[in-house]
Amino acid sequence: MLLLQIFCIFVYCIMEIIELHKNSKDIELVKQLYVEAFPKVERLPFDALLLLQERADVRFLGFYSENGQFKGLTYTYHHDELSWLFYFAVMPSERGKGIGTKILQRLLERYKDERLMIDIEDADQPAANSFQRKKRYEFYKRMGFVDYGLRKKWPGITYNIMSCGGRVTLDDYDKITNEFWGLLQPTND
């Protein structure tokens, strides 16, 4: 019986990574998770996420169990040797089961030769979801992200900029975020 439990735990933890596109089999489920996981003020139009893949080195990834069940998503923008983890979400039914850890481990393996940057809501800023922010901060620290004391204020919120795989400066942050937001501008093609 114990051997069967160990086997099930091992199989459950295997994560297959699939690049997501508008015709992906679970795209509606992916969209549903995206809308549920992120406040409206932090969400780009879903179609824009898909369109940006054609304009830049953006990777919209789905993470699946060995039996093909969708578990979560990541959305990263890559420039030079710096990648920005813009979105990361786990299916609500899978939260608290170590799936987020497995997804982030796979992502870190995939981008091991790059610096991976995140910007999360500052856990020290008073907010209704302070407990959630502190848990998120501790999760990223456990996963190897370093808090270099960098903060960026956007209207109404302060973000904590952390990185894994090497130090990130405010200049790095400003450069990659400005490039990313510039991609959203209309083009003449």
Side-chain angles (χ1 to χ4, degrees), residues 12-58:
Y12 186 70
C13 293
I14 293 174
M15 288 282 144
E16 180 181 3
I17 302 172
I18 297 174
E19 187 134 355
L20 299 169
H21 298 280
K22 64 181 177 185
N23 296 324
S24 295
K25 69 175 181 136
D26 290 321
I27 201 64
E28 287 305 315
L29 186 58
V30 170
K31 183 177 181 179
Q32 182 181 346
L33 172 59
Y34 173 69
V35 169
E36 181 274 332
F38 302 101
K40 187 174 184 171
V41 68
E42 294 181 11
R43 285 194 315 257
L44 294 173
F46 192 75
D47 290 341
L49 296 179
L50 299 169
L51 181 63
L52 284 175
Q53 291 175 296
E54 299 170 17
R55 290 189 178 175
D57 191 0
V58 172

Side-chain angles (χ1 to χ4, degrees), residues 52-181:
L52 284 175
Q53 291 175 296
E54 299 170 17
R55 290 189 178 175
D57 191 0
V58 172
R59 300 182 196 143
F60 198 179
L61 303 175
F63 293 79
Y64 291 81
S65 65
E66 188 175 71
N67 66 0
Q69 187 179 24
F70 176 68
K71 299 294 183 179
L73 66 86
T74 62
Y75 191 86
T76 51
Y77 172 61
H78 304 263
H79 183 76
D80 295 331
E81 293 171 7
L82 177 60
S83 298
W84 179 20
L85 178 55
F86 197 74
Y87 292 120
F88 171 35
V90 175
M91 291 295 291
S93 62
E94 302 300 325
R95 294 178 189 155
K97 298 178 182 178
I99 298 299
T101 297
K102 295 296 178 194
I103 290 173
L104 198 50
Q105 284 172 339
R106 289 297 312 273
L107 197 69
L108 291 170
E109 288 168 17
R110 188 177 180 109
Y111 304 132
K112 66 180 183 262
D113 296 329
E114 300 176 37
R115 293 175 296 156
L116 187 61
M117 176 188 81
I118 58 169
D119 53 353
I120 59 173
E121 297 162 321
D122 190 3
D124 294 330
Q125 184 180 16
N129 68 340
S130 290
F131 179 73
Q132 181 185 38
R133 290 178 180 193
K134 287 178 179 152
K135 278 183 64 174
R136 186 178 299 128
Y137 175 79
E138 291 303 324
F139 168 74
Y140 284 113
K141 281 187 67 172
R142 274 194 319 275
M143 296 303 296
F145 284 82
V146 178
D147 180 355
Y148 292 105
L150 302 175
R151 302 295 185 270
K152 189 70 174 192
K153 286 187 181 258
W154 293 97
I157 194 158
T158 300
Y159 284 90
N160 181 350
I161 303 157
M162 301 172 73
S163 64
C164 190
R167 186 179 196 96
V168 171
T169 66
L170 277 177
D171 285 341
D172 293 329
Y173 179 81
D174 288 340
K175 182 178 179 186
I176 199 167
T177 57
N178 289 336
E179 288 172 355
F180 179 82
W181 295 116

